[in-house]
mmCIF file with all atom_site columns, all heavy atoms in Angstrom:
data_model
loop_
_atom_site.group_PDB
_atom_site.id
_atom_site.type_symbol
_atom_site.label_atom_id
_atom_site.label_alt_id
_atom_site.label_comp_id
_atom_site.label_asym_id
_atom_site.label_entity_id
_atom_site.label_seq_id
_atom_site.pdbx_PDB_ins_code
_atom_site.Cartn_x
_atom_site.Cartn_y
_atom_site.Cartn_z
_atom_site.occupancy
_atom_site.B_iso_or_equiv
_atom_site.pdbx_formal_charge
_atom_site.auth_seq_id
_atom_site.auth_comp_id
_atom_site.auth_asym_id
_atom_site.auth_atom_id
_atom_site.pdbx_PDB_model_num
ATOM 1  N N   . GLU A 1 255 ? 68.211 31.222 1.589  1.00 90.00 ? 272 GLU A N   1
ATOM 2  C CA  . GLU A 1 255 ? 69.296 30.315 1.201  1.00 90.00 ? 272 GLU A CA  1
ATOM 3  C C   . GLU A 1 255 ? 69.976 30.757 -0.081 1.00 90.00 ? 272 GLU A C   1
ATOM 4  O O   . GLU A 1 255 ? 71.198 30.640 -0.216 1.00 90.00 ? 272 GLU A O   1
ATOM 5  C CB  . GLU A 1 255 ? 68.767 28.888 1.037  1.00 90.00 ? 272 GLU A CB  1
ATOM 6  C CG  . GLU A 1 255 ? 69.834 27.932 0.545  1.00 90.00 ? 272 GLU A CG  1
ATOM 7  C CD  . GLU A 1 255 ? 69.476 26.467 0.728  1.00 90.00 ? 272 GLU A CD  1
ATOM 8  O OE1 . GLU A 1 255 ? 68.605 26.158 1.575  1.00 90.00 ? 272 GLU A OE1 1
ATOM 9  O OE2 . GLU A 1 255 ? 70.077 25.636 0.035  1.00 90.00 ? 272 GLU A OE2 1
ATOM 10 N N   . PHE A 1 256 ? 69.208 31.307 -1.027 1.00 91.00 ? 273 PHE A N   1
ATOM 11 C CA  . PHE A 1 256 ? 69.766 31.642 -2.331 1.00 91.00 ? 273 PHE A CA  1
ATOM 12 C C   . PHE A 1 256 ? 70.065 33.137 -2.490 1.00 91.00 ? 273 PHE A C   1
ATOM 13 O O   . PHE A 1 256 ? 70.415 33.583 -3.582 1.00 91.00 ? 273 PHE A O   1
ATOM 14 C CB  . PHE A 1 256 ? 68.825 31.172 -3.440 1.00 91.00 ? 273 PHE A CB  1
ATOM 15 C CG  . PHE A 1 256 ? 68.861 29.686 -3.653 1.00 91.00 ? 273 PHE A CG  1
ATOM 16 C CD1 . PHE A 1 256 ? 68.041 28.851 -2.913 1.00 91.00 ? 273 PHE A CD1 1
ATOM 17 C CD2 . PHE A 1 256 ? 69.724 29.103 -4.565 1.00 91.00 ? 273 PHE A CD2 1
ATOM 18 C CE1 . PHE A 1 256 ? 68.062 27.474 -3.089 1.00 91.00 ? 273 PHE A CE1 1
ATOM 19 C CE2 . PHE A 1 256 ? 69.760 27.736 -4.751 1.00 91.00 ? 273 PHE A CE2 1
ATOM 20 C CZ  . PHE A 1 256 ? 68.930 26.913 -4.010 1.00 91.00 ? 273 PHE A CZ  1
ATOM 21 N N   . GLY A 1 257 ? 69.927 33.910 -1.423 1.00 92.00 ? 274 GLY A N   1
ATOM 22 C CA  . GLY A 1 257 ? 70.314 35.312 -1.482 1.00 92.00 ? 274 GLY A CA  1
ATOM 23 C C   . GLY A 1 257 ? 69.368 36.210 -2.232 1.00 92.00 ? 274 GLY A C   1
ATOM 24 O O   . GLY A 1 257 ? 69.787 37.239 -2.787 1.00 92.00 ? 274 GLY A O   1
ATOM 25 N N   . LEU A 1 258 ? 68.084 35.851 -2.276 1.00 95.00 ? 275 LEU A N   1
ATOM 26 C CA  . LEU A 1 258 ? 67.087 36.689 -2.931 1.00 95.00 ? 275 LEU A CA  1
ATOM 27 C C   . LEU A 1 258 ? 66.452 37.640 -1.915 1.00 95.00 ? 275 LEU A C   1
ATOM 28 O O   . LEU A 1 258 ? 66.525 37.423 -0.704 1.00 95.00 ? 275 LEU A O   1
ATOM 29 C CB  . LEU A 1 258 ? 65.987 35.821 -3.555 1.00 95.00 ? 275 LEU A CB  1
ATOM 30 C CG  . LEU A 1 258 ? 66.430 34.789 -4.595 1.00 95.00 ? 275 LEU A CG  1
ATOM 31 C CD1 . LEU A 1 258 ? 65.250 33.934 -5.019 1.00 95.00 ? 275 LEU A CD1 1
ATOM 32 C CD2 . LEU A 1 258 ? 67.037 35.482 -5.801 1.00 95.00 ? 275 LEU A CD2 1
ATOM 33 N N   . THR A 1 259 ? 65.826 38.680 -2.425 1.00 94.00 ? 276 THR A N   1
ATOM 34 C CA  . THR A 1 259 ? 65.059 39.586 -1.579 1.00 94.00 ? 276 THR A CA  1
ATOM 35 C C   . THR A 1 259 ? 63.586 39.202 -1.682 1.00 94.00 ? 276 THR A C   1
ATOM 36 O O   . THR A 1 259 ? 63.049 39.033 -2.786 1.00 94.00 ? 276 THR A O   1
ATOM 37 C CB  . THR A 1 259 ? 65.243 41.042 -2.019 1.00 94.00 ? 276 THR A CB  1
ATOM 38 O OG1 . THR A 1 259 ? 66.621 41.397 -1.867 1.00 94.00 ? 276 THR A OG1 1
ATOM 39 C CG2 . THR A 1 259 ? 64.385 41.979 -1.183 1.00 94.00 ? 276 THR A CG2 1
ATOM 40 N N   . LEU A 1 260 ? 62.948 39.062 -0.531 1.00 93.00 ? 277 LEU A N   1
ATOM 41 C CA  . LEU A 1 260 ? 61.531 38.703 -0.483 1.00 93.00 ? 277 LEU A CA  1
ATOM 42 C C   . LEU A 1 260 ? 60.780 39.728 0.351  1.00 93.00 ? 277 LEU A C   1
ATOM 43 O O   . LEU A 1 260 ? 61.097 39.944 1.522  1.00 93.00 ? 277 LEU A O   1
ATOM 44 C CB  . LEU A 1 260 ? 61.348 37.304 0.110  1.00 93.00 ? 277 LEU A CB  1
ATOM 45 C CG  . LEU A 1 260 ? 59.905 36.844 0.344  1.00 93.00 ? 277 LEU A CG  1
ATOM 46 C CD1 . LEU A 1 260 ? 59.104 36.845 -0.959 1.00 93.00 ? 277 LEU A CD1 1
ATOM 47 C CD2 . LEU A 1 260 ? 59.889 35.452 0.982  1.00 93.00 ? 277 LEU A CD2 1
ATOM 48 N N   . VAL A 1 261 ? 59.778 40.347 -0.278 1.00 94.00 ? 278 VAL A N   1
ATOM 49 C CA  . VAL A 1 261 ? 58.933 41.339 0.373  1.00 94.00 ? 278 VAL A CA  1
ATOM 50 C C   . VAL A 1 261 ? 57.496 40.819 0.373  1.00 94.00 ? 278 VAL A C   1
ATOM 51 O O   . VAL A 1 261 ? 57.014 40.302 -0.643 1.00 94.00 ? 278 VAL A O   1
ATOM 52 C CB  . VAL A 1 261 ? 58.999 42.689 -0.367 1.00 94.00 ? 278 VAL A CB  1
ATOM 53 C CG1 . VAL A 1 261 ? 57.938 43.662 0.159  1.00 94.00 ? 278 VAL A CG1 1
ATOM 54 C CG2 . VAL A 1 261 ? 60.389 43.298 -0.235 1.00 94.00 ? 278 VAL A CG2 1
ATOM 55 N N   . GLY A 1 262 ? 56.830 40.945 1.514  1.00 94.00 ? 279 GLY A N   1
ATOM 56 C CA  . GLY A 1 262 ? 55.435 40.533 1.616  1.00 94.00 ? 279 GLY A CA  1
ATOM 57 C C   . GLY A 1 262 ? 54.579 41.633 2.215  1.00 94.00 ? 279 GLY A C   1
ATOM 58 O O   . GLY A 1 262 ? 55.086 42.610 2.765  1.00 94.00 ? 279 GLY A O   1
ATOM 59 N N   . PHE A 1 263 ? 53.267 41.467 2.090  1.00 93.00 ? 280 PHE A N   1
ATOM 60 C CA  . PHE A 1 263 ? 52.290 42.425 2.608  1.00 93.00 ? 280 PHE A CA  1
ATOM 61 C C   . PHE A 1 263 ? 52.581 43.845 2.123  1.00 93.00 ? 280 PHE A C   1
ATOM 62 O O   . PHE A 1 263 ? 52.532 44.811 2.898  1.00 93.00 ? 280 PHE A O   1
ATOM 63 C CB  . PHE A 1 263 ? 52.243 42.381 4.144  1.00 93.00 ? 280 PHE A CB  1
ATOM 64 C CG  . PHE A 1 263 ? 51.690 41.096 4.690  1.00 93.00 ? 280 PHE A CG  1
ATOM 65 C CD1 . PHE A 1 263 ? 52.538 40.171 5.296  1.00 93.00 ? 280 PHE A CD1 1
ATOM 66 C CD2 . PHE A 1 263 ? 50.343 40.803 4.590  1.00 93.00 ? 280 PHE A CD2 1
ATOM 67 C CE1 . PHE A 1 263 ? 52.041 38.981 5.800  1.00 93.00 ? 280 PHE A CE1 1
ATOM 68 C CE2 . PHE A 1 263 ? 49.838 39.611 5.094  1.00 93.00 ? 280 PHE A CE2 1
ATOM 69 C CZ  . PHE A 1 263 ? 50.676 38.699 5.698  1.00 93.00 ? 280 PHE A CZ  1
ATOM 70 N N   . LEU A 1 264 ? 52.902 43.951 0.818  1.00 92.00 ? 281 LEU A N   1
ATOM 71 C CA  . LEU A 1 264 ? 53.211 45.245 0.216  1.00 92.00 ? 281 LEU A CA  1
ATOM 72 C C   . LEU A 1 264 ? 51.898 45.973 -0.081 1.00 92.00 ? 281 LEU A C   1
ATOM 73 O O   . LEU A 1 264 ? 51.301 45.812 -1.143 1.00 92.00 ? 281 LEU A O   1
ATOM 74 C CB  . LEU A 1 264 ? 54.030 45.043 -1.060 1.00 92.00 ? 281 LEU A CB  1
ATOM 75 C CG  . LEU A 1 264 ? 54.452 46.300 -1.819 1.00 92.00 ? 281 LEU A CG  1
ATOM 76 C CD1 . LEU A 1 264 ? 55.298 47.220 -0.938 1.00 92.00 ? 281 LEU A CD1 1
ATOM 77 C CD2 . LEU A 1 264 ? 55.218 45.918 -3.089 1.00 92.00 ? 281 LEU A CD2 1
#
Side-chain angles (χ1 to χ4, degrees):
E272 176 164 339
F273 285 87
L275 301 175
T276 297
L277 174 59
V278 170
F280 292 107
L281 180 59

